[in-house]
Amino acid sequence: MVVMKFGGTSVADAAAIERLMSIVRAERQAAIQPESPDWRGPIVVVSALGGATDRLLGVAAEAGAGDIEGARANTRALLARHVDVANVIANDAERAETVAFLQHEFGELERIAGALGVLREVSPRWLDAIAAVGEICSSRIVAAALTAQGLAASWVDARRVMVTGPEHTQAPPLFPETKTALAAVVDPLLAARRIPVLGGFVGATREGVTTTLGRGGSDYSAAIAGACLGASEIQIWTDVDGMLTADPRIVSGVQVVPHLSFAEASELAYFGAKVLHPATIQPAVADNIPVKILNSRRPIDARGTLITRDRPPSDQLLTAVASKKSVTVIDITSTRMLMAHGFLNHIFEVFAQFRTPVDVVTTSEVSVSLTIDDRRALPQIIEKLKEAGEVSREDDMAIVCAVGEGLQTDPTFVGQLLQAIGDVPLRMVSQAASRRNITFVIREADLPRALARVHDRFFAAVQA
Ligand code: ADP
Ligand code: ASP
Ligand code: MG
């Protein structure tokens, strides 16, 4: 059984949903062969309509600021967009039922935003309830549209099957509970030859309170569902041809990477390749499920990227370069660090206490530099760190992470990389124990030229 996840642009409007339906139909036809091991499914996981989550968070922000009129206007505009997209449902009764559902959901949202607008406060719990409306509604539209086209689908309310901890806006999935819930709700649908359609990104606590898995989390939902239900493949359908050699929004002349190892894909996703949510690979690794990244606009012409435990060797030294903007570097300097044990432990405890992940770390005799991208608790973190030494911060930095299994074999690589970067000032440099990546930190303003230079140096030859 295959899990097919469609991102925001792949469900952005009626035309995109038509493409989705052709892709699902082709998968269904392949699966229908009696000898196919994939005779069940597929399972479809969808994101909110492109841009809807940002807009919903805008509604929450307006409510928080007491702008009830603004929140109401945006909620109504979002409802109108969803009702318009629901025209893709080619059956009057299915469409009417879906529109009634949309009206109910957005009516509730308007009520909630109104109440929060009076209080002028939106807690993370309400933020999740508001953001979740996007996936709940998009999945409902897609399920009805598939059914109306003769592809018998069933809407699955993600809040019934994706069980998470209570950490709102970044809720961790609880695997055993999710597996049980998916088996109870989704397995019978699959056995009845129906196509379950599930909103990504959304979950609920054991008590049934709505949560979300964090921005971009629909990929993660798909991987969790795939692992829990024993999928043979997880497909991530998006708006680019696969994992590209660098971020196409920053570098021109990028190419598709045909095959990645799980480890390479994890590093790239973690260090900014937005096409994959950083946690996506994790459930796939445990059960060794192949992941594919595919272009929903070019389902036949573009072969996509295949991600598996191992990949065939390639003569490319570098596989791809990921980058992450809006990073903050924090330096802690203290002569107490000299020869002292427990110093680093103390520092990391501060970050753990404020639940802030640290990405890159470098140390010298008397100082530690590290990067974070979640600045929510930064003022408190800095206050605490001051107990350990002198603290300074630098915003508007960027991480560049060059990834490739080939780095393990070529000792000249670091030299080549540094030469390519040339006169771009390096703030931090680190090589992981896996020797699968080299990570460096530079000023965000230098990112385009640094990336272009690295990309030219290691990929231009292939292009020529
Ligand atoms: P979806 O809505 O389908 O989940 P996303 O916007 O989350 O899509 O991710 C796809 C986008 O990721 C692409 O449009 C591209 O701009 C961006 N991206 C950044 N780095 C990479 C990369 N290395 N390879 C492919 N896409 C990348
Ligand atoms: N809709 C959510 C977001 O925009 C989740 C996703 O698209 O993966 O972050
Ligand atoms: Mg995404």
Side-chain angles (χ1 to χ4, degrees), residues 68-240:
I68 298 176
E69 270 318 303
R72 179 176 296 147
N74 269 314
T75 305
R76 292 192 177 169
L78 264 174
L79 169 62
R81 177 175 171 205
H82 281 78
V83 170
D84 187 42
V85 172
N87 280 319
V88 73
I89 304 168
N91 172 297
D92 290 342
E94 288 279 353
R95 189 169 55 250
E97 203 183 305
T98 307
V99 169
F101 177 87
L102 297 172
Q103 281 164 340
H104 175 264
E105 287 297 308
F106 282 96
E108 280 287 291
L109 173 61
E110 198 175 313
R111 233 170 35 79
I112 292 169
L116 296 172
V118 174
L119 300 172
R120 290 179 180 248
E121 190 182 323
V122 181
S123 64
R125 178 176 168 153
W126 284 113
L127 207 54
D128 273 354
I130 293 172
V133 173
E135 269 73 6
I136 290 167
C137 290
S138 64
S139 54
R140 185 78 187 218
I141 295 172
V142 168
L146 285 167
T147 305
Q149 274 217 356
L151 289 158
S154 294
W155 179 63
V156 175
D157 185 341
R159 294 165 296 189
R160 284 183 63 203
V161 293
M162 198 59 65
V163 189
T164 74
E167 290 82 355
H168 285 284
T169 74
Q170 205 61 254
L174 303 175
F175 279 88
E177 286 89 339
T178 300
K179 192 168 181 165
T180 307
L182 282 167
V185 177
V186 174
D187 265 342
L189 297 174
L190 290 170
R193 296 293 292 127
R194 298 193 69 86
I195 301 173
V197 181
L198 172 75
F201 178 58
V202 175
T205 63
R206 289 194 187 102
E207 293 73 35
V209 179
T210 303
T211 53
T212 65
L213 305 181
R215 295 305 306 267
S218 294
D219 302 340
Y220 194 21
S221 301
I224 295 164
C228 289
L229 292 160
S232 55
E233 183 174 299
I234 297 159
Q235 300 177 351
I236 307 290
W237 290 88
T238 185
D239 63 347
V240 283

Side-chain angles (χ1 to χ4, degrees), residues 253-328:
V254 293
Q255 301 139 43
V256 179
V257 183
H259 205 152
L260 285 170
S261 66
F262 283 145
E264 287 174 319
S266 295
E267 308 258 18
L268 289 167
Y270 187 75
F271 286 109
K274 183 182 175 232
V275 70
L276 216 51
H277 180 276
T280 310
I281 296 297
Q282 189 191 304
V285 171
D287 295 316
N288 197 16
I289 306 171
V291 177
K292 278 184 186 160
I293 306 175
L294 297 153
N295 190 341
S296 65
R297 286 178 184 275
R298 307 199 321 125
I300 295 163
D301 303 335
R303 298 207 16 244
T305 296
L306 172 64
I307 310 170
T308 52
R309 179 150 40 197
D310 304 303
R311 65 165 171 85
S314 107
D315 42 15
Q316 277 285 83
L317 192 53
L318 252 197
T319 305
V321 195
S323 52
K324 200 163 165 178
K325 296 189 204 174
S326 292
V327 168
T328 293

